[in-house]
Amino acid sequence: MIIGSQKPIEEIWDMVKDFKKVLVFGCNTCVAVCHAGGEKEAETIASLIRMRAAQEGKAMEVNHMGVMRHCEPEYFDPVLDEVRKYDLVLSTACGVGVNFLSERIGNVPVYPGINTSFYGAVEAPGRFVELCAGCGNCILHLTGGICPVARCSKTLMNGPCGGTNKGKCEVSQEIDCAWYLIVERMKKLGTLDRLSEVLPARNWSTSRDGGPRRVSLEHIREYEEREEKKVEQAGGKKQ
Amino acid sequence: MAPLKAEEYPKPYRPYGADIKETRPYSPCRAACPAHTDVQAYVGLIAQGRYNEAFEVITSVNPIASVCSMICHHPCEQACRRCAIDEPLAVRHLKRFAIEKSADYRRNKRRLVEKTKGKSVGIIGSGPSGLTAANDLANFGYNVTIYERHPVLGGMLASAIPPYRLPREVLKEDIDDVTAKGIEVRTNCEIGKDVKLKDLVGKHEAVLIAIGLSQSRSLNIPGAEGPGVMLAIPFLEDVAFDRKPKLGDKVLVIGGGNVAMDVARTARRLGVEDVSMVCLESAEEMPAWKWEVDEAIEEGIRINHRWGPKAVRREGDKVLGLEVVKVKSVFDQSGRFNPSFDNDVTTVLDADTIIITIGQMSDLSFLKDSSVKLDERGRVVWDPATQMSSARGVFVSGEVVTGPGSAIAAVANGHRAAIAVHLFCQGEGIEGRLPDQEKEKISQMPADVAGKIEREPRLAIKHIAPEVRCDSMVHFEIGYDEEEALKEAGRCRACGGGAVVDQKKCMACLTCMRVCPYGAPVVASVSEIRPEYCQACGLCSPECPAQAISMVSYDVREIRNTMHQIIGAIDQKRQEPVIAAFVCTHHVGVFGFDLPKNVRAVPVHCTSRIDILDMLKAFESGADGVAVVRCDNTICKYRGIEHRVSARVGRVKELLGMLKIGSDRVELLPVKSGNGGNPYASVCEDFSGRIKQIGLRQSK
């Protein structure tokens, strides 16, 4: 799940202060689970902006709304006409949602209402932890289910480094040393010997280094494109 | 005042959540009420001090609400889920309180209803069933005429129920509500004697027979005929119409039902010291309600159980006593009433007056030679699916066809008959369109939930002392005062009024499951909040990050939406801070909202329901400070909510800090009640003083 976190109100205020009619647009999936950008938080942010505007003596209309997801058009299409009535949409979706809506909304700017933090899990209510970096080439089967890409501060493939200290990372006492965890875990699984095999240098082109990524499922696309073409030939536009 | 149009009066009052309640299992109290009175809604309104609205909820389904507030056998209470915790809610007594409190409101809203249908309906009988049908048909816009053989309306309510149970001015309130709609009333009019049924059939588009069971059954035993032996209904009628019946010094009542109780207790109030009863049943088997029996015993009435009447012993016109025979069993093996006797064991019970109260029947003599057929046992032939008799356009309702029952059951049947008559008059089919009595209800309270709820005994209903109340026909029951009523209403667990998840918005985040103190939500693909667990505390809704949870019994956005009005215009030159104080209606209601002038009370039915957004809205509306005044843990209705409420206040502090408004402008203030004075007012006053020191907010 994507974890987001709220931006300070002053940063938000700087973004929105010159607009007259602002919609704080919540996303009710990942960022709602982490209490950062669901409909409730959207309403909270709207309230804060209104109060901030009152402090400045600025007349501003600020409302809120929410849909299930900003990353699939079917969810926001039904309300898009309403959304377009605003001068600014402050989306509290993750960066994916902000980008995606921005491309489809037309001439209304879409600004980010939250920071997109990482892919994470709900460790405990109200506590979220990063466990995956989305590198595009998973090796968790080789590392005891613990990801060195996301969880080692240096993203080492053959750790630990000299900075490991009683299970903690030299970067911070708050950070567990991922390689310490990997070793301990593999001991438990009885697979420690596999670590004697050195992992080769990685091809990072599947990660951010290869530029923006796209996954296309041919078995689905083939059918969908055929359908789209049919509709196009009939002079319509796919809904 | 101009009569209201039929379609605008009476808009059946719909309390908040009425529509969604129809799609969900009923609370057991509501399911048990034959008229399906929304008990949860009106008790909730009472607890919030909203008495007129409570009155509306009650009377939307019950035109004899005042009567029921005095005499209903309250199946709602027997079904109350609070029985799993301690004792049922005193629903009937709360109804009485609400109705008495809204007396002026009620009288002021009596109006004529415009007759738009151009058709007329004749109703024979003005008891609960006939009165209800008259009320409904008047509401639909029909010309309604009631034919009543007694000089006053009300049927048995006026002519048989003794005034110590039902004061006549109480009955009159209900009747006045109905007749105010513009109903033609023909009292002292007996069908078959003063007018013929066929004249009515000719005059009206439809006729409804709602004559009840107004004749006492007698006993076919030696000596029963003659002076000193009387029947219950004539006796009660004599009392009702002030024709003092002649009683001796020793009155014996035969029968063990509720009417027998009325008869015996009435005899006591006519100055007879020695009143006893004899019935076939044991104390446990008696059909009379237990409370009636207990009250009768308090009044010095003796009950001889398990004896069957054999003969009246008399010397000429003088009754000496009743010879009785021992009962072996009352019911047979299949549970049917089929008494058997031990003829070897007999005794004589001393009495100079005997009153036979063994059941009632209808006087159907006026139907002889009419088109309304009777069956081989002399009962009206009718079709329960259409409420119609064998004669087209002649309908029947109430006890004449359903058999003996309660007033509220007759009301329910009256509603049904009114719909049937209406459909008939409009030329529409009736079958399959009359409301179904059986409703699905919420199951019993799970033991683990019951265990989490504070024991809080029912507030006893006070009575005038037996030695005093037996001196007159004065109503013997003392109503709750406001403090008592609010306290008792607060015991309601609001079954069926709880949380509902909007499945289109829920993304199964588990938040509700984590916060619920009662384990009500289960989350699969989406959350489902189980009504049998939910206590309607409202804690989950403000926590839901998708705002997917609403509450059946109240609008979760109401506070936010009305905050501007609550706070009002802010005077820029004010000397005192404007404080919004969220106060729990469960307890502050008892003290009234008597808060300092600069404090705006935001009533909330437990602080668990306050959203962060409600508090922010108060600041948005210009409040200088926000106090969340919550009841002390020892009196809070919902255990386990305090940490959440405190976390919300903490979050608002954080946000206020970010806005540089100042985090100390909001506080959670727990209050201990019972230390005398109004602790809610004093904590608000203290808080207001602190805010004044911090300073008033300036706006640009």
Side-chain angles (χ1 to χ4, degrees):
Chain A
M1 183 178 66
I2 294 174
I3 306 298
S5 45
Q6 292 192 338
K7 282 181 177 292
I9 182 64
E10 280 313 307
E11 187 184 338
I12 291 176
W13 177 245
D14 275 342
M15 279 190 251
V16 304
K17 65 185 174 198
D18 295 327
F19 294 89
K20 287 265 174 277
K21 207 174 162 193
V22 177
L23 177 71
V24 185
F25 195 22
C27 179
N28 272 339
T29 307
C30 312
V31 292
V33 175
C34 60
H35 303 272
E39 201 166 331
K40 177 171 175 74
E41 294 308 325
E43 189 173 355
T44 307
I45 292 169
S47 175
L48 297 178
I49 297 172
R50 284 193 295 266
M51 277 195 263
R52 193 69 190 80
Q55 286 173 334
E56 298 296 329
K58 279 203 172 185
M60 192 186 266
E61 185 187 334
V62 188
N63 295 320
H64 79 282
M65 195 194 281
V67 292
M68 190 54 111
R69 288 205 272 283
H70 285 199
C71 54
E72 290 188 71
E74 284 87 343
Y75 284 107
F76 59 70
D77 274 347
V79 294
L80 214 45
D81 284 343
E82 186 58 32
V83 171
R84 285 185 180 124
K85 290 179 186 161
Y86 289 84
D87 304 331
L88 172 71
V89 174
L90 185 73
S91 162
T92 60
C94 67
V96 176
V98 177
N99 274 271
F100 198 69
L101 179 65
S102 190
E103 278 177 10
R104 280 157 181 81
I105 195 171
N107 289 332
V108 183
V110 182
Y111 287 1
I114 63 167
N115 291 322
T116 307
S117 305
F118 50 79
Y119 308 149
V122 187
E123 204 173 37
R127 204 163 68 219
F128 310 97
V129 55
E130 180 173 22
L131 298 174
C132 171
C135 71
N137 187 6
C138 195
I139 52 153
L140 280 167
H141 59 298
L142 303 176
T143 58
I146 292 157
C147 178
V149 179
R151 298 171 72 178
C152 170
S153 302
K154 290 178 177 168
T155 313
L156 289 180
M157 285 297 108
N158 297 283
C161 71
T164 185
N165 183 10
K166 293 178 186 147
K168 296 292 173 188
C169 172
E170 65 181 331
V171 171
S172 157
Q173 276 297 302
E174 303 290 300
I175 302 171
D176 290 326
C177 169
W179 276 102
Y180 176 83
L181 295 177
I182 291 168
V183 168
E184 291 302 313
R185 177 77 181 140
M186 290 181 73
K187 261 192 217 166
K188 251 189 209 160
L189 295 173
T191 54
L192 191 63
D193 55 319
R194 290 201 198 159
L195 283 186
S196 54
E197 267 178 55
V198 174
L199 291 177
R202 262 173 79 88
N203 174 1
W204 287 103
S205 68
T206 59
S207 184
R208 293 286 311 123
D209 304 68
R213 294 166 284 177
R214 197 177 282 271
V215 175
S216 188
L217 301 179
E218 293 314 317
H219 61 289
I220 296 176
R221 285 311 308 154
E222 197 184 340
Y223 168 80
E224 287 288 325
E225 274 163 24
R226 218 169 36 231
E227 290 300 302
E228 280 163 23
K229 210 167 269 171
K230 265 193 227 164
V231 174
E232 227 166 80
Q233 279 163 1
K237 197 175 167 257
K238 194 175 181 267
Q239 284 300 306
Chain B
M1 231 174 291
L4 292 167
K5 289 200 169 73
E7 55 270 20
E8 58 188 35
Y9 187 92
K11 266 183 205 141
Y13 182 82
R14 307 284 285 169
Y16 185 84
D19 291 336
I20 183 157
K21 277 180 176 169
E22 291 306 325
T23 66
R24 296 165 61 82
Y26 275 6
S27 58
C29 47
R30 186 179 189 186
C33 176
H36 299 313
T37 308
D38 191 348
V39 179
Q40 180 276 320
Y42 84 76
V43 171
L45 289 164
I46 293 172
Q48 298 168 64
R50 294 156 72 170
Y51 308 131
N52 295 344
E53 287 165 84
F55 168 84
E56 291 287 4
V57 173
I58 297 166
T59 51
S60 66
V61 292
N62 184 0
I64 56 160
S66 282
V67 167
C68 286
S69 79
M70 297 281 173
I71 64 149
C72 191
H73 70 299
H74 47 67
C76 50
E77 294 185 20
Q78 285 83 299
C80 178
R81 295 200 330 145
R82 190 128 202 153
C83 293
I85 306 161
D86 38 38
E87 296 169 278
L89 204 71
V91 179
R92 180 183 61 79
H93 216 51
L94 285 170
K95 173 181 281 165
R96 173 178 169 183
F97 171 79
I99 286 175
E100 288 176 353
K101 272 288 192 184
S102 52
D104 289 339
Y105 168 81
R106 159 191 215 166
R107 288 172 198 148
N108 286 331
K109 67 176 292 229
R110 285 178 188 145
R111 298 278 189 285
L112 270 180
V113 183
E114 204 181 24
K115 310 289 181 291
T116 53
K117 294 286 194 291
K119 288 181 177 171
S120 79
V121 182
I123 296 176
I124 308 171
S126 64
S129 182
L131 216 51
T132 300
N135 175 71
D136 293 2
L137 289 164
N139 286 345
F140 290 147
Y142 291 95
N143 295 288
V144 177
T145 307
I146 298 181
Y147 301 88
E148 167 59 54
R149 70 188 170 99
H150 284 300
V152 288
L153 295 185
M156 295 283 263
L157 303 172
S159 64
I161 303 226
Y164 75 87
R165 283 216 295 136
L166 177 63
R168 292 303 180 257
E169 63 275 15
V170 169
L171 169 61
K172 190 172 177 298
E173 293 287 354
D174 287 339
I175 290 173
D176 285 353
D177 279 356
V178 177
T179 52
K181 295 176 181 180
I183 285 166
E184 191 182 337
V185 174
R186 295 196 50 192
T187 44
N188 292 313
C189 179
E190 193 170 338
I191 309 302
K193 213 162 95 188
D194 302 304
V195 269
K196 297 271 177 286
L197 179 66
K198 69 169 196 271
D199 299 334
L200 260 54
V201 172
K203 186 178 168 193
H204 302 290
E205 268 78 11
V207 171
L208 176 67
I209 300 171
I211 56 169
L213 304 169
S214 61
Q215 274 199 326
S216 277
R217 288 184 194 280
S218 188
L219 268 174
N220 188 17
I221 54 171
E225 301 291 328
V229 178
M230 46 182 107
L231 296 176
I233 299 298
F235 166 74
L236 291 170
E237 283 182 359
D238 281 353
V239 174
F241 297 117
D242 235 7
R243 305 183 291 250
K244 309 242 150 59
K246 276 205 188 87
L247 299 176
D249 298 326
K250 278 181 191 238
V251 173
L252 178 64
V253 178
I254 303 174
N258 291 306
V259 182
M261 289 297 152
D262 282 350
V263 168
R265 297 177 71 186
T266 300
R268 267 299 274 124
R269 285 161 171 79
L270 293 172
V272 183
E273 302 261 331
D274 186 344
V275 177
S276 58
M277 304 177 71
V278 59
C279 61
L280 302 172
E281 301 90 354
S282 67
E284 295 72 38
E285 292 163 335
M286 273 177 89
W289 297 112
K290 190 181 175 300
W291 57 86
E292 285 266 6
V293 177
D294 292 345
E295 286 159 13
I297 292 169
E298 272 178 21
E299 291 166 7
I301 293 163
R302 287 167 289 115
I303 306 174
N304 301 288
H305 291 289
R306 291 219 146 202
W307 292 100
K310 199 175 169 200
V312 175
R313 293 269 182 97
R314 59 165 73 235
E315 249 177 33
D317 280 355
K318 201 167 164 234
V319 169
L320 300 175
L322 181 72
E323 190 184 342
V324 289
V325 56
K326 194 72 200 163
V327 170
K328 277 206 291 202
S329 67
V330 183
F331 302 99
D332 64 16
Q333 281 186 329
S334 50
R336 270 190 301 258
F337 180 78
N338 187 13
S340 68
F341 301 95
D342 183 349
N343 288 314
D344 297 337
V345 187
T346 61
T347 188
V348 176
L349 303 173
D350 277 356
D352 54 18
T353 310
I354 292 172
I355 308 176
I356 300 171
T357 315
I358 57 156
Q360 279 121 251
M361 54 190 183
S362 297
D363 178 4
L364 296 172
S365 52
F366 72 101
L367 294 178
K368 243 185 214 156
D369 306 323
S370 80
S371 49
V372 178
K373 275 189 205 142
L374 304 182
D375 68 10
E376 67 287 350
R377 288 174 60 191
R379 297 170 305 188
V380 177
V381 173
W382 73 304
D383 180 0
T386 61
Q387 297 274 147
M388 215 192 289
S389 72
S390 57
R392 205 175 137 72
V394 179
F395 293 80
V396 276
S397 76
E399 293 187 348
V400 63
V401 283
T402 62
S406 60
I408 190 66
V411 166
N413 202 244
H415 283 310
R416 221 168 167 268
I419 299 170
V421 168
H422 168 62
L423 291 170
F424 174 79
C425 288
Q426 297 309 308
E428 294 180 34
I430 303 168
E431 218 168 319
R433 295 181 66 187
L434 300 184
D436 193 9
Q437 280 308 303
E438 288 300 314
K439 294 280 181 187
E440 193 196 341
K441 65 179 181 211
I442 299 168
S443 58
Q444 275 309 307
M445 193 174 287
D448 54 330
V449 177
K452 288 175 188 161
I453 296 163
E454 199 74 45
R455 304 287 174 276
E456 210 183 329
R458 169 183 166 115
L459 268 187
I461 298 167
K462 292 178 205 136
H463 295 156
I464 299 174
E467 55 279 15
V468 179
R469 71 189 189 222
C470 288
D471 285 347
S472 73
M473 287 288 172
V474 166
H475 189 227
F476 73 106
E477 194 181 80
I478 300 161
Y480 282 144
D481 63 24
E482 192 166 17
E483 186 170 338
E484 291 169 325
L486 290 166
K487 191 152 192 256
E488 182 63 18
R491 292 180 66 237
C492 177
R493 299 310 294 186
C495 307
V500 201
V501 176
D502 179 346
Q503 305 212 335
K504 287 195 194 111
K505 289 179 116 181
C506 175
M507 48 29 186
C509 73
L510 307 175
T511 302
C512 53
M513 208 178 82
R514 288 172 180 144
V515 305
C516 178
Y518 304 102
V522 280
V523 181
S525 59
V526 289
S527 168
E528 186 205 335
I529 298 176
R530 296 173 293 176
E532 68 272 27
Y533 284 76
C534 180
Q535 300 296 302
C537 64
L539 193 66
C540 55
S541 172
E543 297 285 336
C544 176
Q547 297 188 326
I549 301 177
S550 59
M551 302 294 291
V552 172
S553 56
Y554 65 92
D555 177 0
V556 295
R557 305 189 75 89
E558 189 180 357
I559 294 178
R560 257 167 281 174
N561 291 344
T562 54
M563 188 59 82
H564 268 300
Q565 289 99 288
I566 294 172
I567 300 282
I570 301 288
D571 179 2
Q572 292 306 321
K573 292 183 209 135
R574 67 192 179 282
Q575 296 299 309
E576 294 301 318
V578 172
I579 305 292
F582 291 88
V583 278
C584 176
T585 42
H586 280 111
H587 299 284
V588 81
V590 173
F591 298 98
F593 291 98
D594 193 13
L595 302 175
K597 258 196 181 148
N598 61 318
V599 178
R600 313 279 191 265
V602 187
V604 57
H605 217 41
C606 187
T607 50
S608 56
R609 297 179 177 183
I610 304 169
D611 197 309
I612 285 167
L613 289 153
D614 298 328
M615 293 183 253
L616 290 178
K617 195 75 187 183
F619 286 106
E620 247 191 75
S621 307
D624 295 299
V626 169
V628 176
V629 189
R630 72 169 292 266
C631 311
D632 184 67
N633 282 348
T634 54
I635 55 168
C636 179
K637 181 174 165 181
Y638 302 109
R639 276 199 224 156
I641 60 125
E642 58 275 14
H643 303 304
R644 294 284 166 190
V645 179
S646 148
R648 287 176 205 164
V649 173
R651 170 76 172 140
V652 175
K653 280 177 173 292
E654 188 189 338
L655 297 173
L656 292 180
M658 278 210 289
L659 284 170
K660 300 186 178 68
I661 289 174
S663 58
D664 39 8
R665 285 188 187 272
V666 59
E667 291 297 346
L668 178 64
L669 308 167
V671 155
K672 261 194 167 55
S673 69
N675 297 341
N678 182 347
Y680 295 85
S682 60
V683 296
C684 289
E685 216 162 339
D686 290 349
F687 178 70
S688 172
R690 290 204 294 279
I691 296 297
K692 196 173 178 180
Q693 278 184 346
I694 295 167
L696 307 182
R697 286 171 69 204
Q698 306 297 326
S699 58
K700 270 194 183 171

